[in-house]
Amino acid sequence: KFKFTASEKKSTFQCSLDGAGFTSCKSNQSYAGLSTGDHHFEVRAVDAAGNIDSTPASFDWTIQ
């Protein structure tokens, strides 16, 4: 599970797995059934005014 927060209240989040487009998500995002190999997760905040964080947080890992 990936847990994340934003510094601005009422922010929402968008997540991307392995280079796919960003889609709406919430903290505690999880993924099941991932294939063996390298994976890349990114999350970005969107504030109440619709401004999108230009520097998403990311995490890389490998399933063996």
Side-chain angles (χ1 to χ4, degrees), residues 4-8 10-15 22 25 42-48 50-57:
F4 36 87
T5 61
S7 58
E8 291 189 37
K10 298 186 181 181
S11 290
T12 59
F13 299 97
Q14 297 176 339
C15 295
F22 281 90
C25 64
E42 291 183 295
V43 60
R44 63 187 183 188
V46 181
D47 69 14
N51 299 307
I52 298 173
D53 182 358
S54 62
T55 56

Side-chain angles (χ1 to χ4, degrees), residues 5-62:
T5 61
S7 58
E8 291 189 37
K9 293 182 179 183
K10 298 186 181 181
S11 290
T12 59
F13 299 97
Q14 297 176 339
C15 295
S16 169
L17 178 65
D18 295 336
F22 281 90
T23 58
S24 179
C25 64
K26 296 184 184 232
S27 188
N28 286 328
Q29 179 69 32
S30 64
Y31 297 97
L34 296 176
S35 62
T36 301
D38 296 334
H39 295 280
H40 180 74
F41 173 79
E42 291 183 295
V43 60
R44 63 187 183 188
V46 181
D47 69 14
N51 299 307
I52 298 173
D53 182 358
S54 62
T55 56
S58 65
F59 182 76
D60 294 299
W61 75 102
T62 301

